[in-house]
Amino acid sequence: MAFDSRALSALDFPRICDALAQRCATTLGTERARALRPSDDAGRIARELDEVEDALFGVSLSLGGIQDIRELHGRAREGRVLSGQELLNAVYSLDGAMTVRRAINANSRGPLREVALGLGEHSELVRRVLGALDREGNVRDDASHHLRDLRKRIEPLRGRIRERLAASLEKWADVLQEHIVTIRRDRYVLPVQASRVGQVQGIIVDASATGQTYFVEPAAVTQLNNELTRLILDEEAEVRRILTELSGLLAQDEDVPMTLATIGELDLIASKARLARDWRLNRPEPSPAGVYDLREARHPLIENPVANDLRLGDTKLLLITGPNMGGKTATLKTLGLSVLMHQCGVYVPAASAKLPVVRDVLVDIGDEQSIEASLSTFASHLKHLRYVLRHASPDTLVLVDELGSGTDPNEGAALSQAIIETLLAQDARGIVTSHLSPLKLFALETPGLKNASMGFDVDTLSPTYALLVGQPGRSYALAIAQRMGLPDDVLERATTLLGEDAGIMERMLEGLERERADLAAQLDTATAARRDAEGELGRVRQERETLETRRNEMLAEAAQKAESLYADAIERVRTLRARAQEDGARPRVMQELRDLRTAAQKARPAPPVREERGDPIRVGSRVDVPAYNASGQVLELRGDDLVVQLGVMKVGVKRRDVRVQPEVKVPVARGAFVGRAPTTFQAELQLRGLGVEEAVEELRTAILEASALKEKQLRVVHGKGQGVLRRLLRDYLKTDRKVESFHDAEPNQGGHGVTIVNLRA
């Protein structure tokens, strides 16, 4: 359905089209921009918005230099011969179109590729024309064999004629007007004085404008000039034949019209993208029928406009009241233009927008008197309102400016209320502006109709242009009159004449404005406090991050120091092990070995697992898991999660879902050596996380110590992993003579992750 052209004009939509046209690079695009009209096809609108997005963020369309060659193509199809320059203009434009197609195919995100399918293939035509013409549009010598032969004969012949005439200059020197050889009517001649022309034998070809000079072709070159003329005529005929052939090729290219139409379409898309950048427009999102939601919407044709939020949905009609020049009409047009731009595939002037697709925009804006039709302003409004009421529906947008104006206020208010009731019954959406006070009360009591006003600063007597939804507008007539210095008795009399009810209404509106101002001030204070709190929170977080960083640095330093101490202890163990081979030193060395082992274990850095302070659960802890009715060993700590080995299974459980078993000290035999007190021996060796060489050394030392203390069994915890450490440790156990046998632990005691080593007695 076509949108009402009067409505488009009333909303200043042609100015949007002009802005697009100014940003087009070709006349093809300019035509499309000026002829742009809204569509009610949702699929087409979405596709056109996708194309603009592709032009904004995907492909930079460069269409400069492409001309409108529709007239040239039409003349060629009529059988007319184009000049060389016209043919060049045509193929340059077609070649430019193919360049655009290649750029789109290389860079487009997708939507523009579909459009570019309309750009035809014109390579053969371009090749033929550029091969036959030079840059000035002249036919090249090599355009045909015949033309090459003709031009090879013409130039030498010209030279012979010039030489023969040059030889005659001395002979006829006294009768010549000038001592030169010139050309008239494509024939070489001599300029002879008119009074002495009879002295030269030859043919008079031309005369000067003054009649003082005759241009004479001497008889000696007549035959040569005739031959030159014949060759030139043959050359012209061959050139025309070539141009006719090239013009025919252009006429036969049936893809030209589609290519030109596509160039116009691409140019319009590029102009939409440029407009979006220049005016800071944003892409609207689709919404259900009757739902409008624009955030920070602004009139695109007003300099430095005030942005307002506009919402329609549950509120079907917004009634904006207040003084003239306050921005009511601009707000109404902002919504109308946003809807029209959206349905033309153009981004809209709002920070964000959700808009439905409407069938039509119904407007009554401005004073349109008709002298010929004998219509007053009021009658003109009624004519437009009749059209609005006939066509209003849920899928139309209604915009009525100054409803009820131009007639008696009481009758105008009654008629306006009836019109609004009809629009609400038709489930229409839109904006209505008015000055009539009774409509404000009507809006307070009517579902689907909401009051709104435009802000006004009484102190400065100037509008703020801010839309205040939920608050009826005031006229401010008496307040402005008081500010302007009218006498108090006049103002008091005006107040009396205004009536008590009107005075109550005005005071009520004034009170509402004060309350709104107070709430706005409170909101500003709360917002400032929130910003301060957020700033303080940011500082606290920064300090916490600084402390956490320092804590990690200190832990790293401590770990490095512990690692160094641990390495020193290991080195001393190796030294003591060597000394243990000496006679009589074994008991004393073994005691020192145990002391060093204990010190090294204490100094060794903890595994890189984050545990809560005071948490009894550690890697290796035995826990009961009631959910599985089983117990097992903790393999990993992951914050609030644990990985527990239950028999042959690894399960993930929460910390709160397990119970820690009390640690059981493994009883060990106490050996007695001469000269020392009994000591305890740790029968479990933790090797997880160690390198192979270090783990083997730890195992060798532990076996040596256990053997010296007459221990029978050693529990070696190496973990499962890929099984590499387990295999290499067992390879060593096979070679140690102190080992009698070894085997895996029971499934509920570690399984393949633990090796039980039995020592020889």
Side-chain angles (χ1 to χ4, degrees):
M1 177 179 177
F3 281 65
D4 182 14
S5 60
R6 188 191 62 81
L8 301 182
S9 178
L11 292 171
D12 298 323
F13 180 73
R15 293 177 61 188
I16 302 294
C17 296
D18 289 341
L20 288 169
Q22 292 169 6
R23 288 164 174 79
C24 288
T26 70
T27 56
L28 297 163
T30 301
E31 283 184 10
R32 281 181 170 262
R34 297 195 187 283
L36 187 63
R37 292 296 178 269
S39 167
D40 59 358
D41 183 343
R44 173 181 173 181
I45 294 169
R47 183 178 68 253
E48 291 180 354
L49 291 173
D50 287 341
E51 292 164 358
V52 175
E53 183 174 341
D54 200 3
L56 272 171
F57 306 109
V59 183
S60 178
L61 293 173
S62 178
L63 304 172
I66 298 179
Q67 300 180 21
D68 180 3
I69 62 169
R70 288 175 294 183
E71 187 265 339
L72 296 179
H73 186 252
R75 284 168 50 200
R77 289 182 66 84
E78 292 172 0
R80 300 171 66 179
V81 179
L82 304 182
S83 68
Q85 190 59 55
E86 290 173 330
L87 286 167
L88 281 182
N89 291 340
V91 299
Y92 284 158
S93 296
L94 296 176
D95 190 43
M98 291 191 295
T99 300
V100 170
R101 183 185 63 192
R102 288 191 292 270
I104 290 175
N105 289 336
N107 301 296
S108 171
R109 300 182 177 186
L112 288 181
R113 290 190 180 186
E114 296 296 323
V115 181
L117 293 176
L119 298 174
E121 180 57 50
H122 310 283
S123 301
E124 182 60 21
L125 172 63
V126 172
R127 185 188 66 79
R128 291 284 297 276
V129 172
L130 296 183
L133 305 178
D134 61 20
R135 293 185 176 181
E136 286 73 38
N138 300 315
V139 179
R140 298 177 183 272
D141 293 352
D142 56 358
S144 73
H145 295 298
H146 185 44
L147 183 61
R148 183 190 300 111
D149 293 341
L150 288 172
R151 289 180 175 174
K152 283 184 177 180
R153 294 170 60 188
I154 287 173
E155 287 308 314
L157 183 56
R158 290 182 189 276
R160 289 173 57 195
I161 294 172
R162 286 194 295 268
E163 290 174 0
R164 186 166 295 186
L165 288 176
S168 302
L169 289 176
E170 294 299 328
K171 177 180 178 181
W172 307 107
D174 56 341
V175 301
L176 296 178
Q177 194 71 266
E178 293 181 81
H179 200 71
I180 60 171
V181 175
T182 186
I183 297 176
R184 283 292 186 276
R185 299 183 181 180
D186 293 329
R187 301 180 75 85
Y188 285 92
V189 295
L190 298 176
V192 180
Q193 300 173 21
S195 59
R196 306 182 68 177
V197 69
Q199 298 180 22
V200 180
Q201 296 179 358
I203 301 171
I204 298 176
V205 176
D206 201 358
S208 66
T210 62
Q212 298 298 313
T213 304
Y214 284 99
F215 297 96
V216 179
E217 177 186 79
V221 297
T222 297
Q223 188 63 33
L224 294 177
N225 265 338
N226 288 342
E227 177 65 15
L228 179 61
T229 299
R230 185 184 67 79
L231 291 174
I232 290 175
L233 291 174
D234 288 346
E235 178 196 22
E236 291 175 350
E238 180 63 10
V239 166
R240 184 172 182 80
R241 184 194 68 77
I242 293 171
L243 294 177
T244 300
E245 181 181 347
L246 296 177
S247 299
L249 290 176
L250 176 61
Q252 294 167 15
D253 193 334
E254 298 179 353
D255 289 341
V256 170
M258 179 60 73
T259 293
L260 297 178
T262 304
I263 287 296
E265 185 177 356
L266 288 169
D267 198 11
L268 177 58
I269 293 170
S271 72
K272 291 178 181 179
R274 295 187 190 101
L275 189 71
R277 291 193 190 97
D278 295 345
W279 288 5
R280 296 178 293 110
L281 309 178
N282 289 294
R283 176 170 180 163
E285 298 298 327
S287 67
V291 177
Y292 302 76
D293 188 353
L294 290 91
R295 307 297 176 93
E296 299 182 24
R298 61 193 187 280
H299 196 297
L301 301 175
I302 296 177
E303 187 175 356
N304 299 321
V306 174
N308 287 299
D309 294 346
L310 291 169
R311 296 184 184 88
L312 295 174
D314 293 336
T315 298
K316 298 179 181 180
L317 296 177
L318 200 62
L319 177 66
I320 306 178
T321 53
N324 286 329
M325 305 300 293
K328 299 192 303 295
T329 304
T331 301
L332 179 146
K333 288 186 174 182
T334 297
L335 177 58
L337 281 175
S338 295
V339 169
L340 295 177
M341 293 169 71
H342 166 229
Q343 296 190 209
C344 288
V346 180
Y347 283 21
V348 300
S352 66
K354 295 180 180 179
L355 294 170
V357 175
V358 301
R359 178 174 49 84
D360 202 357
V361 177
L362 308 173
V363 305
D364 175 31
I365 300 175
D367 296 332
E368 297 184 14
Q369 298 187 50
S370 174
I371 297 177
E372 293 181 0
S374 300
L375 294 177
S376 66
T377 298
F378 180 65
S380 176
H381 278 300
L382 291 180
K383 178 183 176 183
H384 298 152
L385 289 170
R386 180 181 61 187
Y387 181 86
V388 170
L389 292 174
R390 284 180 178 176
H391 296 88
S393 65
D395 59 352
T396 61
L397 177 66
V398 175
L399 303 171
V400 179
D401 195 27
E402 299 298 349
L403 180 62
S405 63
T407 188
D408 176 77
N410 292 329
E411 292 185 0
L415 182 60
S416 298
Q417 180 173 330
I419 290 173
I420 291 175
E421 288 175 347
T422 303
L423 292 173
L424 291 173
Q426 292 171 322
D427 202 24
R429 301 293 191 280
I431 297 177
V432 176
T433 72
S434 179
H435 283 90
L436 301 174
S437 294
L439 295 181
K440 304 173 188 177
L441 292 174
F442 175 60
L444 290 174
E445 302 168 349
T446 305
L449 179 64
K450 180 172 285 189
N451 272 310
S453 61
M454 305 305 298
F456 188 85
D457 190 335
V458 181
D459 295 332
T460 62
L461 302 182
S462 60
T464 65
Y465 303 108
L467 180 66
L468 307 175
V469 177
Q471 177 176 317
R474 298 171 55 197
S475 67
Y476 298 100
L478 295 180
I480 293 173
Q482 185 178 22
R483 290 278 298 170
M484 296 299 294
L486 264 67
D488 292 341
D489 56 342
V490 173
L491 295 174
E492 290 175 2
R493 177 59 179 161
T495 302
T496 302
L497 294 174
L498 188 61
E500 183 178 352
D501 292 341
I504 293 174
M505 170 66 76
E506 197 68 17
R507 287 193 297 275
M508 180 187 72
L509 293 178
E510 184 178 355
L512 286 174
E513 283 191 6
R514 284 197 301 269
E515 290 182 10
R516 179 183 287 270
D518 291 342
L519 289 173
Q522 293 176 22
L523 179 61
D524 290 342
T525 301
T527 302
R530 179 178 178 178
R531 281 198 300 268
D532 293 343
E534 289 176 347
E536 185 64 26
L537 178 61
R539 286 190 292 274
V540 170
R541 286 175 175 169
Q542 182 64 37
E543 291 176 2
R544 187 178 69 181
E545 291 176 1
T546 302
L547 291 173
E548 185 69 20
T549 301
R550 179 54 185 158
R551 173 179 174 274
N552 292 336
E553 291 175 353
M554 293 174 67
L555 288 175
E557 292 174 2
Q560 184 176 4
K561 184 176 180 180
E563 185 67 33
S564 177
L565 292 173
Y566 180 68
D568 291 343
I570 290 295
E571 183 60 32
R572 291 183 63 188
V573 166
R574 292 196 179 103
T575 303
L576 290 171
R577 182 167 172 263
R579 289 174 53 196
Q581 305 302 321
E582 301 175 5
D583 293 338
R586 185 179 185 86
R588 179 168 46 82
V589 169
M590 290 307 300
Q591 179 59 44
E592 291 184 31
L593 182 63
R594 280 191 296 275
D595 293 343
L596 282 175
R597 179 182 180 83
T598 302
Q601 292 290 351
K602 290 180 180 180
R604 185 179 178 184
V609 178
R610 183 174 180 177
E611 300 183 10
E612 300 295 333
R613 292 184 179 180
D615 191 346
I617 300 178
R618 301 183 302 276
V619 173
S621 295
R622 300 288 301 174
V623 295
D624 293 324
V625 186
Y628 290 89
N629 194 25
S631 62
Q633 186 177 39
V634 177
L635 300 180
E636 296 182 42
L637 300 179
R638 300 176 181 175
D640 290 333
D641 295 324
L642 310 176
V643 177
V644 181
Q645 182 76 48
L646 298 180
V648 296
M649 296 188 303
K650 288 183 182 178
V651 297
V653 294
K654 296 290 185 182
R655 286 175 178 262
R656 63 175 179 270
D657 296 332
V658 302
R659 292 195 301 269
V660 182
Q661 295 181 355
E663 293 189 8
V664 179
K665 297 293 183 178
V666 179
V668 295
R670 297 178 179 274
F673 290 95
V674 178
R676 68 171 177 86
T679 63
T680 61
F681 170 71
Q682 295 293 333
E684 182 173 281
L685 181 62
Q686 289 283 350
L687 299 181
R688 283 183 302 179
L690 301 183
V692 173
E693 181 179 351
E694 187 178 0
V696 170
E697 183 63 31
E698 285 284 313
L699 179 59
R700 179 187 295 113
T701 303
I703 291 173
L704 179 62
E705 182 180 350
S707 178
L709 295 174
K710 307 299 183 181
E711 297 293 336
K712 296 181 178 180
Q713 194 176 75
L714 183 65
R715 177 183 170 87
V716 181
V717 181
H718 45 66
K720 295 180 180 179
Q722 301 294 325
V724 176
L725 182 59
R726 174 178 178 272
R727 176 172 55 81
L728 294 175
L729 290 175
R730 293 193 171 199
D731 287 345
Y732 168 74
L733 292 174
K734 294 175 183 178
T735 64
D736 195 319
R737 295 181 179 180
K738 298 179 179 62
V739 176
E740 182 176 351
S741 64
F742 55 86
H743 56 82
D744 288 339
E746 294 298 326
N748 62 350
Q749 298 296 324
H752 298 308
V754 177
T755 296
I756 305 299
V757 180
N758 298 310
L759 302 177
R760 297 182 186 277

